[in-house]
Amino acid sequence: QVQLVESGGGLVQPGGSLRLSCAASGFTLRYNAIGWFRQAPGKEREGVSCISGGGATLYYADSVKGRFTISRDNAKNTVYLQMNSLKVEDTAVYYCATVCSVVGGTNGYWGQGTQVTVSS
C-alpha cells in the first residue's frame, strides 16, 4: 500500500535540533514533490517547506527560514527536515505529504504525523 511514515520527533529544549524523516513505501518518491506541514494546538495546519521531485526547494515558511532545511535521498525513498535553533512556537505535530500546499484541500497521501515538543 502507498504509505508515508514520519519519524524523528520528540522533546527538545529551545535552541536544540531535530531531524525529521519521511519514508515512503508503495511508490517511487522521486516522482513526487513532498511537503512538510505542521499543526499546533488550536491552530490550522500550515505549510513548513516543500521539495520538488528533482530536489529543488520550492519554499520555506517565513517563520522557519534560516533554521530549517529540507532535503531528500531518493535512493532511500526518504525526505528529511533538519530543524535547528528550535523555538517553543515550533511545537506541533509535523506531517509529510505528496502535496506542497493545503490550499484547496488535503489531497494526496499523508503520513500520520510525529510530535515535536520544544520546552524547557
Side-chain angles (χ1 to χ4, degrees):
Q1 294 183 352
V2 172
Q3 189 174 20
L4 293 172
V5 178
E6 302 94 339
S7 63
L11 176 64
V12 65
Q13 295 183 0
S17 298
L18 288 172
R19 188 178 75 161
L20 305 184
S21 297
C22 174
S25 62
F27 69 101
T28 302
L29 192 66
R30 66 185 174 93
Y31 295 130
N32 294 93
I34 299 293
W36 280 101
F37 303 82
R38 66 186 182 186
Q39 188 163 21
K43 296 184 178 180
E44 295 183 348
R45 190 169 300 186
E46 64 175 344
V48 176
S49 186
C50 192
I51 189 167
S52 75
T57 300
L58 299 180
Y59 77 88
Y60 289 107
D62 288 341
S63 58
V64 308
K65 286 180 180 177
R67 300 188 298 119
F68 290 12
T69 303
I70 192 169
S71 63
R72 68 191 301 151
D73 186 343
N74 287 333
K76 297 181 179 179
N77 226 25
T78 301
V79 170
Y80 304 97
L81 184 68
Q82 178 67 46
M83 306 186 297
N84 298 326
S85 302
L86 283 162
K87 303 175 180 179
V88 172
E89 51 263 45
D90 294 319
T91 296
V93 177
Y94 284 72
Y95 303 87
C96 64
T98 58
V99 297
C100 276
S101 174
V102 294
V103 175
T106 54
N107 297 320
Y109 295 101
W110 289 76
Q112 292 187 258
T114 185
Q115 176 71 48
V116 172
T117 302
V118 185
S119 176
S120 298

